[in-house]
Amino acid sequence: MKALCWQGVNELSVEEVPDPRILNAQDVIVKVRLTTTCGSDLHLLGGYIPAMRAGDVIGHEFIGEVVAVGSEVRRHKMGDRVVVCSFISCGRCWYCENDLWSLCDNGNTNPGIGQALFGYEPGGVFGYSHAMGGFKGSHAEYVRVPFADYGAFPVPEGVDDTSALFASDSVPTGWMGAHLGGVKPGDVVAVWGCGAVGQMAARAAMLLGAERVISIDRYPERLAMTERHIGAETIDYSATDVGAELRERTGGRGPDVCIEAVGMEAHDTGVQGVYDQVKQQLRLETDRPSAVREAIYACRKGGSVFVLGVFGGTVDKFPLGAMMNKGLTVRGAQQHGQRYIPMLLERMAKGELKTSHLATHPMPLDEAPKGYDLFKNKKDGCVRAVFHPGA
Ligand SMILES: NC(=O)c1ccc[n+]([C@@H]2O[C@H](COP(=O)([O-])OP(=O)(O)OC[C@H]3O[C@@H](n4cnc5c(N)ncnc54)[C@H](O)[C@@H]3O)[C@@H](O)[C@H]2O)c1
Ligand SMILES: [Zn+2]
Ligand SMILES: [Zn+2]
């Protein structure tokens, strides 16, 4: 089959690779109908995620059709149209039973690297390095889906492929940020980043009752999209002091909940940003946390900051004093999609959650390297490139 392979830093190519087969009785094989790029893939492309090998198939957000079913799979049959959670979780361990799906003890078949990095390993993800299990990704014609009864979800009839695709990763991620960030009716919520994840966090905050949602980015087309399709207010951070602007817009109090949807490659033209760039390039710090810092300073006293953006290691100049003295709750997580996806698909079917506008650049899988160039460099208003592997 054809698949998009990571070949090295900023190097991708479409290659012929072996078709996947059922390896475990709980697997299904999915024929991919659509698969999309994610900000997390940019961290792979930039070489910031350890344990990638040349030839690894990337991609983790996808929808497709079940074409082979393992003997112990109970909830799926041939021909089912399913959206698949980006995280691979067993459904039976302590973490899965406690709705902490991305922390599953059995999803990551290669735990040693994560244990060395973080103390305990994170879960497994499709197409996301050998530190996260070394699973083949979804930018391919077919994917093996382990623990399919827990990770694959039937798509309601009224929801088209392009809309449902985002229920795999960006929609549940955004929802989790608002939900576990503790958004309550009447809250003011600020969201850093107007990519798919930030937009979905903003929409989730509204659906959870936030009175005002203020989204922050610098790309005019992303800001305009977030106003038009999500209904959030926006701030262009390249034109203003974000902290001062948030203070002004919240009557001097600051947002109740701050959601960071930017991650380790945050853009920052200030002195601190240059410092982070240099240290990251010299591998003296692994991540550039500008938006996290800004969120911690901007948050109201006693408020909550949720980090959705992916970070891989250590950061410098973390404002621990602000966190402690202002009594903040600071959390982060990889997405617990299995907890939210059925509910989110229902909301999509009811028209409460719209996602199709995110698919700005649909194209055949053969053109995926071009799609990544558009997405990485935010050219031509690209929010997400969506690949169709074809017949
Ligand atoms: N927690 C999870 O499970 C999970 C799941 C999916 C994605 N992610 C992470 O979420 C992040 C966003 O993903 P995406 O697909 O939306 O990416 P994206 O690249 O499309 O969007 C990121 C946006 O952040 C903006 N940005 C950069 N620096 C900023 C700053 N200083 N202040 C405000 N905005 C800034 C960029 O302009 C861009 O629009 C990534 O780090 C990704 O790895 C996490
Ligand atoms: Zn992702
Ligand atoms: Zn588990």
Side-chain angles (χ1 to χ4, degrees), residues 39-40 43 169 173 217 222 262 267 308 310 333 335 378 384:
S40 302
H43 311 322
D169 189 68
T173 301
D217 206 299
R222 287 183 174 220
V262 175
H267 168 258
L308 287 177
V310 163
Q335 65 125 348
K378 314 298 189 239
R384 283 295 173 95

Side-chain angles (χ1 to χ4, degrees), residues 51 108-122 130-133:
N108 188 342
T109 49
N110 197 5
I113 302 170
Q115 287 170 358
L117 281 171
F118 305 135
Y120 298 92
E121 77 284 3
H130 295 268
M132 308 288 270

